[in-house]
Amino acid sequence: MNPILQEKRFSPTGEQVIIQDGECMTVKGAIVKTALLLVLLLVAAAFSWTVTYNSINPSTPFYYLIGGVIGGFVLAMIITFKPRLAPYLSPVYAAAEGLALGCISAIYNQQAIAHAQATGAVADPNGISNIITGAILLTVITAFVMLLLYRTGTVKVDNRFNRIIKVALVSILVFYLIGIVVSLFGGSGGRFYNLFFGNSILAIVINVIIVAVAAFSLMQDFDLIVKGSEMGAPKYMEWYGAFGLMVTLVWLYLEILRLLSRIQSRN
């Protein structure tokens, strides 16, 4: 289960979700706020993308990347434990994530174009590679498909479903932590290093599994936003729900981007 969108945080009996002025969250309100956060993210991403390509100082994009990652993480922790602050901090979080995503996407784009040129394919050094457009389109399509599966009841978000996703998320977290240790102390080129950062078939299969888990996590996000509305959670929880949904969408995009980059590097 998404550690951010937990059902108990939407319960009107919790201390942090006392309803004020009789206003309750709605699904429509959460959708509108999700759209607003995504717009802020895209604007910030476009800015840092431009900086990455046009900055005279090559270290400038690095500062945006690190600042976005650290700032986004700190803000996410505050919002997670203080949902009342979501209306004020979620837009800032979206901007921070956008700065980081723009830099990351630009780096992947440069690598993809360099690979295309090295293999003799025609590639504009200042253009947008197929893996960027592909990652964006696949993220949008995946989100739409998951919403369709949820709305039609094709896949039931029940206790069994939640348990499976919870186990998968914990396993992925452990996998990420091992990857961090390997990157710091394992050196490059080794078997374990290639498993986490290489383009082997096994690395691609694991990447596909992570993408699938991220995709199905979206269904949990949809379900908890709906339940929050049905339980009469306060209005500010629309921002909290939008924030949690955006966290999953960003994760999904990054994993799809990694997957496409790995596949391209094998060609």
Side-chain angles (χ1 to χ4, degrees), residues 174-235:
V174 172
F175 179 79
Y176 284 158
L177 292 175
I178 295 175
I180 292 174
V181 174
V182 169
S183 66
L184 292 176
F185 306 105
S188 60
R191 179 181 302 176
F192 287 106
Y193 184 90
N194 290 331
L195 175 62
F196 292 98
F197 305 104
N199 62 352
S200 66
I201 295 297
L202 181 56
I204 291 175
V205 169
I206 293 174
N207 206 157
V208 170
I209 294 173
I210 294 176
V211 167
V213 173
F216 282 103
S217 293
L218 286 174
M219 297 184 67
Q220 284 188 317
D221 298 342
F222 300 147
D223 187 61
L224 288 171
I225 289 174
V226 170
K227 287 181 178 178
S229 176
E230 293 174 346
M231 290 189 296
K235 196 70 173 176

Side-chain angles (χ1 to χ4, degrees), residues 219-260:
M219 297 184 67
Q220 284 188 317
D221 298 342
F222 300 147
D223 187 61
L224 288 171
I225 289 174
V226 170
K227 287 181 178 178
S229 176
E230 293 174 346
M231 290 189 296
K235 196 70 173 176
Y236 65 81
M237 293 301 285
E238 292 176 351
W239 285 102
Y240 188 77
F243 155 72
L245 181 57
M246 192 180 68
V247 169
T248 307
L249 287 171
V250 169
W251 177 37
L252 177 64
Y253 167 77
L254 287 174
E255 287 299 336
I256 290 176
L257 186 59
R258 290 180 64 196
L259 177 61
L260 295 180

Side-chain angles (χ1 to χ4, degrees), residues 114-158:
H115 177 80
Q117 292 175 328
T119 56
V122 178
D124 181 0
N126 296 317
I128 299 178
S129 66
N130 290 335
I131 69 167
I132 300 298
T133 55
I136 294 173
L137 287 175
L138 285 175
T139 300
V140 173
I141 292 172
T142 301
F144 177 78
V145 170
M146 292 298 107
L147 179 60
L148 184 63
L149 291 175
Y150 173 74
R151 293 295 294 174
T152 58
T154 303
V155 178
K156 298 292 184 181
V157 182
D158 51 18

Side-chain angles (χ1 to χ4, degrees), residues 26-78:
T26 63
V27 173
K28 180 179 179 180
I31 293 174
V32 170
K33 290 170 176 61
T34 301
L36 290 174
L37 293 181
L38 288 175
V39 168
L40 286 173
L41 183 145
L42 291 174
V43 170
F47 171 76
S48 59
W49 171 288
T50 303
V51 168
T52 303
Y53 271 92
N54 300 325
S55 177
I56 298 177
N57 186 348
S59 63
T60 300
F62 176 77
Y63 295 140
Y64 281 108
L65 173 59
I66 297 301
V69 170
I70 296 177
F73 176 78
V74 172
L75 289 167
M77 291 298 98
I78 295 174

